[in-house]
Amino acid sequence: MLDFPILSITILIPFLAAIYILAFAPSQKYVQVISLSASTLTLAFALLLLKNFDVESYDFQFVEQYTLISRIGLDFFLGIDGISLLLINLMAFLGLLCVIYALSEIKQRVAEFMFFFFLLQSFIIASFAALNLLLFYIFFEMALVPMYMIIGLWGGANRIYASYKFFLYTLAGSVLFALCIMYFYKNASTLSIPELYSIGYELDPRHQKWLWWGVFIAFAIKIPMFPFHTWLPDAHVQAPTTASAILAGVLLKLGGYGFLRILLPILPQASKDLAIYPLIMSSVAIIYASFAAISQKDMKKTIAYSSIAHMGFVTGGIFSLSYVGINGGIFQMLSHGLISAALFFTVGSLYARVHTKQIDSYGGVAAKMPALASFFMIFMLSSIGLPGTSGFIGEFLCLNGLFEQHYFISAISAFGIVLSAVYMLSLYKKVMFGEISNQVIATIADLSLQERFIFTLLTVAIVLLGIFPNYVNKLLKPSIEIITGAIYVI
Amino acid sequence: MLFDLKLSALAPGALLLGIALFVQILNLFTRLASCSLSMISILLVSGLILFIYYVYPCAMHLGSGCSGYLPHTHKIQICLLVFCIACNIFFIISQQIRLEEFPSEYVSLMLFSALGGFIATSAQDFLTLFMAIELQALISYILSSMAVRSSLSSEAGLKYFCLGVISSCVMLFGISLMYGFVGSISYYRISLDSGCSFAIALILTGLLFKLGASPFHMWLPDVYQGSPIFAVNVFMTINKLTVLISIIRLRCQLDMFFTVAAVSSLVVGALGALKQVNFKRFLAYSSIFNVGYILICLVTKDYKLSVIYLLIYTLNVFMIFSILASLGIEIDTLQILDLQGLAFRAKFQSILLAICLLSLMGIPPMLGFAAKYYVLYKTVATGNYYLAVFASGMTLVPAYYYLRIIKLMFLEQVTASFLPAKLLSYGALCNVLNVIGVLIVSFGWVVAL
């Protein structure tokens, strides 16, 4: 076991890089060097966490705990288990890829972009590692500001509206969550998540229902689940490619992580009673978002709606409250993170060359960009859930878990796979195949070296996860057993 | 004997009176400019602070100076210190504001206003309180009309005067009713029988008017918009602090009264600021909103927290004024849209200003978030769940318009704006103060409150 505060260091590296870039305003070249080294170093530390993780242990690992303000229960309490470990690695990995992509995509004010991006990375890793509810909430909220600035400064034409919507919608949910945290501290006298696991079910049963809804809505807005999803298409379409990739890849997973870490174990009785509502919302999300994706004319909006549909699988798996389902939910979170980041990078590459996101302006790109066409094919098939890719494992496990408890909802959700094939295949056909009708396409170049590097890494990750999923499942076993144990003991 | 003169217990108030008179005489008979006068005041008030902190405690046990005064305790000593420190901070900030056109009497007037605060803090009967509040009110009327070349300022002063006099009459009526029911004007004889609670409600009406709480807030936007900036500073800090301490001293249990006032303040403050274009008017509505939070503290009976919240809010607003002043921006006629594109012209100060705005919004890890979190936590802890949900819901509306200012500064291009062509940078001192202030705003709450 390592005895230096590795989690704090992993959080601090991007933060210090951000402050350094802001304070010393280095030149363009130097910013590239700093950003690349900072994100590589973060990835190195995340892999170090992975290597030193003990797969048999049921406790939280790499724990650091210091009391900060005892009057409201704030402690600096960090620690990870299998779920947070994988999500931190996902963030570090996607962070590196996004930095590489952003250095070639963002032309103006690169230093400020890197500043906001590293702040975002630092706060999100801290959210995943936080084991004190108030600390988690603080980092959760702090992550909103850099995202708002990124969408607002480097986004598309309607970016102000999209950034406001994202910020205020998420803030509304967080405020409900804050009230629940205050209730927890008043009644349970502790905000530390491991302790709350053992005393959460003793809270007043009349209030548990309201607490459950409060916490649920906060994370349902983040994921986003069906009635609260309207901020996502706007935010994704208007954000720059790198921001969309990190938004879809990691920020959405904060919601799922919140369900797994906070909602299910601390309020198990209410979760069991009220699980039917998220399940209905999930299946509606899958079907509705898939149909919405079929009818879109904007490439990025199609993929945004497909994100909503895939996260519908995640919530379906989580709220099936079965071991297989929760396993599938977490796996789908990881796989969707990789796949949607890959799809957004693809769309970004196309946009950078043709300067439009309307599907009608495309056609026949495969003839000019065979490398992109191949990568896009792999990502598109994994989004559909082709066996051999991680998308299949995720969706299959979720549906399996759902089928044990609610076969009707599972049947409806399974239909979503067919629909995802419809919109993905038609998107691919319209963009890649056919004749070249747009003259701009006749002049475009194939992928650059950075893009090839990013796409190759993503492909390798997706295929590896698809063929050897048990590397991941092994890490998750203790955590899922704790969650299902909490639920089925009651 | 009719009264007991233990003069040494009166020392802080007497010293402050002496300082104020001395500054005023200097102003009359010498040609010192107002910045030199405020420098002298800073020195003298710092001396007073040291006196109150180190020397005065040995005289505190001697009892009160006269019958209307309470013997000074530790808490009262802290309140006196806070008034002096607020004066000092304001004088330091006013060094950066170009105030050549304004009469330099504002320095001594501010000291007199702080004296009113001293009296109100140590009052133990209603007439002393009334005297203190009226002293501050009269000074406020003068301060708000002091910008002699602006007709808006005269209008503000006149409005404030007319409405303030009416509210003082209401308060006096309440005091006389209380005297009629109970037979004494001392605080210790306050009761809450049916007639007396009506009397207390009238007194609180007068006090809440001065605080700027809804539904007695009508004067606030107009007066803040018209008054010059130093007057607005005095209103926001010294007046509010005095009234808050007086309300706390009354210790009455009118929960429903405070709840209704809190709820309507939150609504008015949140919704009223949405359409504002003038910066000071916008700040007026945001102060109504934050007074709503203070009233929520009073509902939960955590009085120390209400003072702390007010101080944190005051610090935030001070920092905003200070940063804008250090840019040389004329705050009196500032429209919000004039801040457009500020980040392109003055990046460093825009970042500081954005941090202060985020703090007002209630975003972690700033001090404003800590203040709001403590207040809401206390509300949940005492069981007022509906009030807590309502307050946190209404907090989203100000989030929108503070975010709008940040958006204007950073995300919009510079238009033909009102800023001076060359933004003055007065040198290192203002920026150092700004940075220190903003750091306190950012991380100060880690020092456990």
Side-chain angles (χ1 to χ4, degrees), chain B residues 402-417:
Chain B
Y402 290 126
L403 210 55
R404 200 184 77 179
I405 301 184
I406 296 181
K407 170 201 83 148
L408 276 175
M409 284 199 300
F410 284 92
L411 307 186
E412 302 271 352
Q413 295 299 317
V414 182
T415 56
S417 91

Side-chain angles (χ1 to χ4, degrees), chain B residues 95-100 325-329 349 423-431:
Chain B
Q95 299 287 325
Q96 307 169 44
I97 307 178
R98 282 172 305 167
L99 288 169
E100 303 94 22
S326 72
L327 283 172
I329 296 179
Q349 276 96 341
L423 287 178
L424 305 157
S425 59
Y426 276 97
L429 181 63
C430 326
N431 283 331

Side-chain angles (χ1 to χ4, degrees), chain B residues 280-335:
Chain B
K280 276 197 295 183
R281 212 177 165 86
F282 165 77
L283 277 180
Y285 278 106
S286 99
S287 90
I288 298 178
F289 182 78
N290 283 288
V291 162
Y293 260 87
I294 296 176
L295 290 173
I296 294 180
C297 278
L298 292 178
V299 170
T300 61
K301 303 202 181 30
D302 193 343
Y303 300 118
K304 189 165 130 185
L305 188 59
S306 60
V307 176
I308 291 178
Y309 186 91
L310 180 62
L311 291 177
I312 291 178
Y313 171 69
T314 308
L315 179 65
N316 268 328
V317 171
F318 261 161
M319 287 322 303
I320 291 184
F321 283 150
S322 172
I323 294 171
L324 286 176
S326 72
L327 283 172
I329 296 179
E330 186 85 39
I331 307 180
D332 284 329
T333 48
L334 182 68
Q335 312 282 90

Side-chain angles (χ1 to χ4, degrees), chain A residues 12 15 19 68-69 74 119 123 138-139 142, chain B residues 312 315-316 352 355-356 359 363-370 374 435-449:
Chain A
L12 267 181
F15 186 73
I19 302 291
L68 280 184
I69 302 179
L74 178 65
L119 274 187
F123 295 150
I138 289 176
F139 284 122
M142 276 164 78
Chain B
I312 291 178
L315 179 65
N316 268 328
L352 296 179
I355 293 181
C356 290
S359 167
I363 298 287
M366 319 291 176
L367 207 53
F369 165 72
Y374 282 132
V435 169
I436 292 177
V438 168
L439 279 179
I440 295 179
V441 165
S442 312
F443 300 111
W445 74 315
V446 184
V447 175
L449 276 172

Side-chain angles (χ1 to χ4, degrees), chain A residues 339-357:
Chain A
I339 295 173
S340 68
L343 285 172
F344 277 115
F345 281 138
T346 313
V347 171
S349 301
L350 284 171
Y351 180 71
R353 288 163 174 76
V354 186
H355 303 296
T356 172
K357 294 184 193 128

